[in-house]
Structures are given as C-alpha cells and as structure tokens.
C-alpha cells in the first residue's frame, strides 16, 4: 500500500473536542516522511521547519511524461454565513481515500488569510477529525507567501505614486536622463525591462541616444491619470479604517494629495496571478502585464511600464512553490495561494494541482476545493482555472447541509455569532425538501460541464434520518451521480469512506469531455449574460459606468478574457436575502474591472468589500500561547 508508512490511526472522542485541541493531540510526522511517500527526494523540496516544505516546480519538469491521476473539485450549495464544511469534507474525503482505501491522494487547499483567522470566521484547516496539521502554522504565517504578496503589491503601489510625483516636477529630458543615466564611460543603455515598454510603443531602437524628442516623451512620460489608478495598497489584517485613506499629505509631496485605500492582501491581483500561473516564466509575464491605471492618452499602464515586473518576480520567486503539509491521518496536502473568492476566482493554485496529479499518477486522486457555493467557486474553477491549466476534472462534489437547505426552504436567518433558531435543531422534513431547489440547481449547473456530480451530505448531530433521506432522494432526482451521508467531522476518514467509494466510481465512469459555459471569443456582455443565465437571471442591466468600462476594455483588446463575477455568495442572485433558487430576476452590473495580469475581467454585481472589518468580539480574544509548552491555544 502506497501510504502505509504515514497512515496514522485516530483515537476519536465523542463529543468532538475543539479543533485546536484535536490538532494539538496529534504529533505530526516529519514532513520528509510525507514527501517520501510521494516519491519526493530531498532535492525536490526545501524544508521550512519540521512540518512544512516547499515542493519545487522542477518536479513538474521531471514528471512531464507521466500520466495524471483523477481530478476532483469540491464545491457546495449556497452557504449560510457559518459555512457548510467544504474544507472539512475535502480533507475527510482525502483521509478516507488514503488511510482507508489505500489510494495515492493529495489534498490541494488554499492558504487562509490572517484577516478571518483573527476576525469572525476563524481558521480554515478543516475541522473536527478532518484537519490539516499543524493547524496553527497552516492558519498563521505558513511559509510567508501572503507576506511576499503584500510586499510586492505595496512596492508597485509606491512606484505608481512616486512616478507621478517625479513626472510632475521634471522635463522630458531630465526624466529621460535619470531613467537612462550614462555609465562611467559616458554611455547610456536601456535596462532589460525597458525594452518591453519600447516594444509596446513600437520603438525598435536599442541606443537611448538615438531616440527623437517625441520618442523620449512617449517613453519617459507614463502620464498616468491619478483618477484612473486601480492599484491599492494591501495588508493581511481586517482593518475597516483603511478602506478609504488620503495619501500625499507630507510637505515634500508638493500637494499631491490623492484618495485611495487598502484591500486585504488576498484580494491583491498578485494573489490571483500566483493562483493562475503555470510556470516561473508565465508568472513573470503575468506580473509585468498587470494594469494599474490609464494614461491621459487612454492607454493602459502596466507594471512593466513602471519597470517593475522583474522586481515583483524576485519578491515572488519562493512563493510560486506550493507548501507540503499533512492531514491528521498522515495523508499529504499541498497548500498554495488563496485568492479572494468574490473579486478573484477563489481557487488554490494551478501549479499545486499539476504537481499533485503527476505525483499520485494513474488511479490516484487529487482533491481540490473551490470557494463558496458552486455558482461562484465551481463556475470559476471550470471557466477560468481549467481554461488556463488545461486540466479536466472527472468529478465535482457538491457539499450540502440540512442547516443550509432549511434556510433555503424558508427557515429564519442564520447569523454568525448568534445561536441557531429552533427550526434548525429539530426535525422539519418539509423545510428541507423546500430548500432542495437550491441544491438541484447547483447539481444541474455543475453537470453541464460534463463531470459527474456527487453530493456530500455533511451530517450534523441534530440531523434526523428522515431529513437526510429527503436530501439524498432530491439529489438523485436532480441528476447527481450519487449522494452520500458523511460523518468525517466526528470520525475522520472513516466517516467519508462511502463518499470516497462514490467519488472513485464517478471518476471511473465519466463519459463526456469538459464543456465550458461560454467561448472566449464571445464579447464581454455575451459572457456575462451566459453566467447570469446559469444563476437563473432573465436578463442583465448595466450601469453607465459598466457600459463605459466594457467599451474601454474591448477597445484595449481585453474582451477575449474569461469573466470572473464578483457577487454575493449567499444567493444565486445579487440579493443576499433571496434564498432557494430565485429566477426571472434582472442581474445588475454596477461596474466592470479587469485583472489583466491574472487574466480575467470582473464585473461587480452590487457592492463588494475588499477589506473586511473586525466584529465587536473578534476571534483574537480566544487566541493565546501556552508559554509552558509553546503551543497555540484558542484557534478555531
């Protein structure tokens, strides 16, 4: 058996203890043991302490000729604000495949942001007896990838404002002389990154002294319109007071005051680039192509125009390698990237999935998770991530809970931090059946991509047999390949064995090719409307601003990019309160923006916050360090 060395038997306790207590009760194996199980040698990874390692991209080159394993994506029904356990299901399924069914398996997860960890949500390592360990390292700094993104993002932000400042105080000649200073022999030269700008401007000269005054002006003066700057600063902490700030107030900035703001680090386009890149050279191109604003002539201004693409790649050179960790039962996990699931595409990285598929090989399994409900996460996984990766999933899981289905059937509001209403704690089959319309639409939408859909019913202690059977029957009636009741939170991999068997059958019986929701050559509006139709909308309404942006991006040659809808995760529609499976509504597009480096256009449906705020009682009240043992306590 491939994983016999690392399978760890869990001693399950009931009732289920706190996540951090379970995580701390298990001594993780040295990460080199997990690596060895995947046939990785010390040349293939860099150790980050005892329990984490960066798997190097060179593994992909070495295994280029070998065949891939099965590829499984985990999505969900439209969730309550409490979340329905997608990460827990992803981990539990992998523990079942590896520790109970003797399959080679790798779990691919996003890296959590420290914002939610210290804010309202808590960590994202799974839960109960289906977790990634060490949980504290997973949820905090990990291997520093998010810090690298923060540094790169803010270097670019500083470069934008500095360039505007210098251009405002210098003539073309002075600017050019400083950009291309003579060396000791009095000779000038362009740096490598400058040739990218020259090529964009159609200037083929290689000697700075040969440029005409007009060419000097075009080359040296980016002439960024301050009103058009879309690039904001970031930090990986929830801080509502930084959503809107004023910069340039120092006396040396000569009155160059500008309103801007901070986003949370995981909302940075650099995070989306990391998740969608396929190689180091591809990442270099994507980082350089990121558009930060528009010149007064109407041309997009990129990171490479600012001379920064190479420096950004240097800051990101270690972050491109996925981090190897382990589950409670000793199965391997690759943690990599964590793009915002509203603004960006909410999936872990392409490179982690590609490496994992080669490592498990034919008959092995790679299980990856897509953010939020399937209308957001799975849709973006298929239409954006699979397009750039060229990978085809065989099975898509839809995680459902009785709690969420009751909410969709008309149950009272579920609010994080408040006790659940009695309706969610006692049997009500009618409420469950009424809510199954939400699950049914997720099943039919996901099936349309050509994959087999397995519904994982994540069982809570208050769920009754009649309720669980109602969900099972509704899922099969809606066209699911199978629907399985899971107890992995309480029992670890053992509680997801039936799910693992169903997933294996679904993968072995896939009969259709991958189908996308829209062709890339369609216009921006056609693509938006195809997605809106999958939500149940009867039409789309564009604001004046959205119309203007669509026209501009089309003119600039960006209309062939995929669409990444920025929409509430709490409803198929734009209205978070519209539960179930609303239809016949008009989807309003408030604005349209672009992440050109990452490679998508993102329409804003309603208002999206890219910087969360802290609640009155944040999670940090419970987080502390046991100074006697050095162990973190209180993480949830």
């Amino acid at each position: 058996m491939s994983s016999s060395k690392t399978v760890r038997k869990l001693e399950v306790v009931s009732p289920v203890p706190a996540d951090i207590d379970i995580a701390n009760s298990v001594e993780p194996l040295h990460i080199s043991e997990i690596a060895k199980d995947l046939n990785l040698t010390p040349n293939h990874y860099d150790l980050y302490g005892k329990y984490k390692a960066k798997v190097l991209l060179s593994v992909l080159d070495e295994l280029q000729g070998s065949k891939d394993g099965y590829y499984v994506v985990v999505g969900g029904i439209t969730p309550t604000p409490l979340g329905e356990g997608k990460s827990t299901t992803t981990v539990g399924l992998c523990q079942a495949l590896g520790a109970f069914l003797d399959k080679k398996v790798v779990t691919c997860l996003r890296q959590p942001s420290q914002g939610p960890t210290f804010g309202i949500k808590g960590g994202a390592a799974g839960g109960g007896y289906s977790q990634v360990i060490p949980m504290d390292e997973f949820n905090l700094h990990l291997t520093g990838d998010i810090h690298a993104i923060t540094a790169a993002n803010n270097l670019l932000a500083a470069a934008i404002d500095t360039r505007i400042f210098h251009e405002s105080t210098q003539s073309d000649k002075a600017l050019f002389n400083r950009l291309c200073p003579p060396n000791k022999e009095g000779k000038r030269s362009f740096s490598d990154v400058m040739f990218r700008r020259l090529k964009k401007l159609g200037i083929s000269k290689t000697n700075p002294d040969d440029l005409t005054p007009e060419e000097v002006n075009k080359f040296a003066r980016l002439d960024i319109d301050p009103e058009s700057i879309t690039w904001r600063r970031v930090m990986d902490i929830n801080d509502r007071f930084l959503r809107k700030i004023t910069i340039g107030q120092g006396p040396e900035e000569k009155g160059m005051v500008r309103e801007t703001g901070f986003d949370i680090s995981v909302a940075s386009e650099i995070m989306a680039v990391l998740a969608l890149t396929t190689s180091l050279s591809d990442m270099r191109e994507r980082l350089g192509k990121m558009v930060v604003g528009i010149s007064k002539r109407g041309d997009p201004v990129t990171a490479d125009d600012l001379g920064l693409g190479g420096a950004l790649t240097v800051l990101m050179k270690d972050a491109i390698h996925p981090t190897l960790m382990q589950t409670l039962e000793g199965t391997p996990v690759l943690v990599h990237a964590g793009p915002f699931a509203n603004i960006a595409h909410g999936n872990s990285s392409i490179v982690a999935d590609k490496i994992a598929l080669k490592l498990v090989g034919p008959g092995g399994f790679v299980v990856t998770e897509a953010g939020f409900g399937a209308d957001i996460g799975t849709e973006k996984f298929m239409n954006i991530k699979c397009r750039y990766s060229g990978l085809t999933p065989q099975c898509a899981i839809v995680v459902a809970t009785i709690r969420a289905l009751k909410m969709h059937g008309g149950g009272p509001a579920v609010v994080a931090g408040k006790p659940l209403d009695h309706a969610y704690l006692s049997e009500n089959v009618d409420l469950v059946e009424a809510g199954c319309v939400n699950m049914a639409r997720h099943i039919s939408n996901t099936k349309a991509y050509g994959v087999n859909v397995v519904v994982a019913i994540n069982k809570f202690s208050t769920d009754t047999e009649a309720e669980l059977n109602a969900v099972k029957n509704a899922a099969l009636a809606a066209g699911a390949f199978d629907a399985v009741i899971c107890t992995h939170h309480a029992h670890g991999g053992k509680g997801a064995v039936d799910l693992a068997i169903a997933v294996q059958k679904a993968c072995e019986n896939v009969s259709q090719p991958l189908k996308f929701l829209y062709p890339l050559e369609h216009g921006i509006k056609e693509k938006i409307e195809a997605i809106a139709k999958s939500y149940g909308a009867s039409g789309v309404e564009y604001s004046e601003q959205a119309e203007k942006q669509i026209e501009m991006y089309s003119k600039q040659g960006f209309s062939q990019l995929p669409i990444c809808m920025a929409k509430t995760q709490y409803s198929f529609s734009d209205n978070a309160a519209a539960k179930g499976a609303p239809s016949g509504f008009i989807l309003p597009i408030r604005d349209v923006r672009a992440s050109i480096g990452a490679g998508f256009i993102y329409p804003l449906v309603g208002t999206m916050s890219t910087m969360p705020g802290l609640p009155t009682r944040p999670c940090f009240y419970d987080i502390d360090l046991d100074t006697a043992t050095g162990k973190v306590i209180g993480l949830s």
Side-chain angles (χ1 to χ4, degrees), residues 450-533:
V451 296
N452 283 329
V453 177
V454 173
V455 173
I457 307 163
N458 190 10
K459 186 179 186 297
F460 287 53
S461 58
T462 49
D463 302 340
T464 69
E465 205 172 322
E467 290 173 332
L468 294 164
N469 285 334
V471 180
K472 207 172 167 175
N473 294 336
L476 295 171
F481 181 87
D482 205 347
V484 184
I485 295 156
C486 313
T487 60
H488 45 272
H489 184 271
H491 303 119
K494 190 179 178 185
V497 169
D498 290 347
L499 176 64
I501 292 167
V503 165
Q504 184 178 347
K505 281 185 189 154
C507 287
E508 289 167 351
N509 288 286
V510 76
S511 57
Q512 297 181 61
L514 179 62
K515 296 194 277 266
F516 297 120
L517 198 53
Y518 51 79
L520 286 181
E521 56 273 17
H522 276 185
I524 292 173
K525 281 190 174 179
E526 282 178 278
K527 288 184 277 205
I528 290 172
E529 282 148 26
I531 298 170
K533 196 174 167 190

Side-chain angles (χ1 to χ4, degrees), residues 176-231:
F176 187 62
N177 286 345
R178 287 188 172 95
L179 286 169
C180 301
N183 62 16
K184 285 173 188 169
E185 288 82 46
K187 285 191 174 172
R188 298 167 181 276
S189 62
F190 292 117
S191 62
D192 284 349
V193 73
M194 289 176 174
F195 286 111
R196 291 172 181 252
R197 174 152 180 81
L198 290 163
K199 187 181 176 188
K200 180 178 164 179
L201 296 170
I203 300 169
S204 56
K205 295 169 183 173
T206 56
N207 184 349
D209 293 326
D210 294 344
L211 266 61
T212 65
E214 189 195 358
E215 287 170 337
V216 164
N217 171 275
K218 278 169 79 177
F219 170 77
R221 203 164 285 284
L222 300 181
D223 218 11
I224 300 168
D225 176 1
E227 295 288 306
S228 76
I229 296 169
T230 50
W231 200 263

